[in-house]
Amino acid sequence: MKKYISNNWKKILRVGGYICLGLIIFFKLNAEKTLLADYIKYGKEVKPSEGSGILSGVKDNFLTTFTGVDSQLVKFAIIFIVAIMIVVFFTSLLDKKKDAKKK
C-alpha cells in the first residue's frame, strides 16, 4: 500500500480534488432556490438595512447557510485544497522539465 501511494500520490490528490469539486457542484445544484420568491416579494431593488454588507458579516452568514458548517472551517478547507492543487501542478511541471533535460 505504501508503494502504491508513493507511486500514485498525484493521481490520488487529483481524484480527491475532483470529488470535492463534484460535491460542491452537487450541493450548489440542490440548494434551495429562493431568488425568485424574494424577487416577487421585494421587487427589483432591494434596499439593505443599515449595517449590512460584507463588513458586517454577511459573507460569513452566506458560507454558514450555504454549507451548514462553520465559515472558518470552509475557508480553511478551500485554502488547503487550493494549496495542494498548486503543489501538484508545480511538481508536475518540474518533472516534465527534468524529463526534457534527460532527452
Side-chain angles (χ1 to χ4, degrees), residues 80-100:
F80 189 68
I81 290 169
V82 169
I84 289 173
M85 296 304 285
I86 289 172
V87 168
V88 169
F89 176 74
F90 282 123
T91 55
S92 65
L93 285 178
L94 292 174
D95 288 344
K96 287 181 183 178
K97 288 182 181 179
K98 287 180 184 178
D99 290 339

Side-chain angles (χ1 to χ4, degrees), residues 51-88:
S52 65
I54 293 176
L55 298 176
S56 68
V58 172
K59 186 175 180 181
D60 289 339
N61 290 337
F62 170 75
L63 286 174
T64 304
T65 304
F66 180 68
T67 59
V69 296
D70 185 28
S71 63
Q72 296 296 325
L73 182 62
V74 173
K75 290 177 187 176
F76 174 74
I78 290 171
I79 291 170
F80 189 68
I81 290 169
V82 169
I84 289 173
M85 296 304 285
I86 289 172
V87 168
V88 169

